[in-house]
Amino acid sequence: MNIMVTNDDGIHAAGIRALAEAMSELGTVTVVAPDRERSAVGHSLTLHTPLRIFELHKGWYAVDGTPTDCVNMGIHNMLPITPDLVVSGINHGANLGDDVTYSGTVAAAMEANLMGIPAIAFSLATFEPSNHFSDAAQIAIQVARRVIANGLPSDTFLNVNIPNCPHDKMCSPLITRQGKRSFIGKIVDKTDPRGRKYYWVGSDEPHLNDEPGTDFHAINRNHVSITPLHLDLTNHKSLSILSEWSF
Ligand code: MN
């Protein structure tokens, strides 16, 4: 089993160390990850500057690009053969509901899915500095084992969110759908030391729609949340409504 590991928190993050170590129980691991934090870059691709690869030690490569660049570089240029599985994470912070569209962690799995490779994004649902990455890594092994054994339905990758607690305190994994949040974005404006205004995108506590069956609902109750995602953003319910518009 050849497994590629990436993330968006950067190659020096605690979450990727825990994930790479866990995946080494399942096969040969190659890490290709951004050389610095690239959270919330979404599915962006570097087109206007060259990319460079830095080998940190055997099987660990840093790329000065985005998570999507890392998956591309890893699969096309660095790994000797196409990996059997691509895993991304373990992100420091949840990737729930609409936030998956901002997530570099999820986008890396998305990119692997576009290449036809089974892929899983893992996130630890906390922004607290004290955290349980090694407990989350145990869950990552369990999920990866099932993906390896059963495969994934076509056009499907997984978004897994893991509660921040000891392994034996977590509730059983639930298969969930992507939830919704009410976005209460906040942009802070301040003045710099030279008297010019600057702005910084802030974030409030997300207001989650706590509906049964969603990723939010599962995580709020200490369950591991496993959401199957796909890239078809078409709103199929709207097709028939819009097809009645006359042009
Ligand atoms: Mn991140």
Side-chain angles (χ1 to χ4, degrees):
M1 196 55 58
N2 275 287
I3 303 170
M4 185 184 139
V5 179
T6 190
N7 74 347
D8 77 357
D9 292 339
I11 199 158
H12 303 293
I16 199 169
R17 278 202 304 277
L19 185 58
E21 197 181 303
M23 290 300 114
S24 67
E25 291 187 22
L26 304 178
T28 305
V29 169
T30 307
V31 177
V32 185
D35 63 349
R36 70 200 77 171
E37 176 161 6
R38 293 299 200 119
S39 292
V41 299
H43 200 191
S44 68
L45 198 57
T46 302
L47 295 181
H48 302 291
T49 53
L51 293 167
R52 303 201 191 265
I53 301 165
F54 307 91
E55 185 173 9
L56 303 187
H57 47 92
K58 193 173 165 6
W60 282 70
Y61 302 93
V63 174
D64 57 352
T66 66
T68 299
D69 294 328
C70 291
V71 173
N72 269 296
M73 299 275 286
I75 288 162
H76 294 306
N77 300 75
M78 291 150 76
L79 273 72
I81 55 165
T82 303
D84 302 291
L85 178 68
V86 171
V87 293
S88 178
I90 300 168
N91 189 59
H92 192 180
N95 277 303
L96 299 165
D98 314 298
D99 280 347
V100 300
T101 59
Y102 300 108
S103 170
T105 309
V106 173
M110 200 185 274
E111 188 68 6
N113 173 249
L114 280 175
M115 296 179 187
I117 303 165
I120 316 167
F122 293 104
S123 302
L124 185 64
T126 184
F127 288 103
E128 302 281 312
S130 79
N131 48 52
H132 290 276
F133 283 116
S134 57
D135 295 284
Q138 293 309 307
I139 299 296
I141 292 177
Q142 291 179 26
V143 177
R145 278 215 170 101
R146 280 159 181 81
V147 168
I148 291 163
N150 304 314
L152 285 170
S154 67
D155 190 29
T156 301
F157 62 102
L158 301 183
N159 182 33
V160 179
N161 282 274
I162 303 166
N164 183 44
C165 62
H167 186 216
D168 56 3
K169 296 275 189 296
M170 289 178 203
C171 301
S172 56
L174 294 178
I175 306 300
T176 57
R177 67 176 193 277
Q178 187 184 314
K180 279 230 157 270
R181 74 161 176 178
S182 329
F183 183 72
I184 307 188
K186 188 168 76 175
I187 302 205
V188 175
D189 63 289
K190 291 195 183 272
T191 306
D192 75 13
R194 289 173 190 81
R196 294 171 305 190
K197 279 267 194 199
Y198 68 89
Y199 303 87
W200 205 313
V201 176
S203 66
D204 279 333
E205 277 293 298
H207 290 253
L208 317 176
N209 298 355
D210 193 36
E211 279 177 40
T214 63
D215 47 7
F216 288 137
H217 194 267
I219 277 293
N220 285 346
R221 287 153 188 81
N222 246 21
H223 288 277
V224 175
S225 164
I226 303 177
T227 310
L229 296 180
H230 69 164
L231 260 165
D232 180 359
L233 298 182
T234 311
N235 187 333
H236 288 271
K237 282 182 290 190
S238 297
L239 282 175
S240 60
I241 298 168
L242 268 74
S243 66
E244 283 169 21
W245 291 9
S246 67
F247 283 99

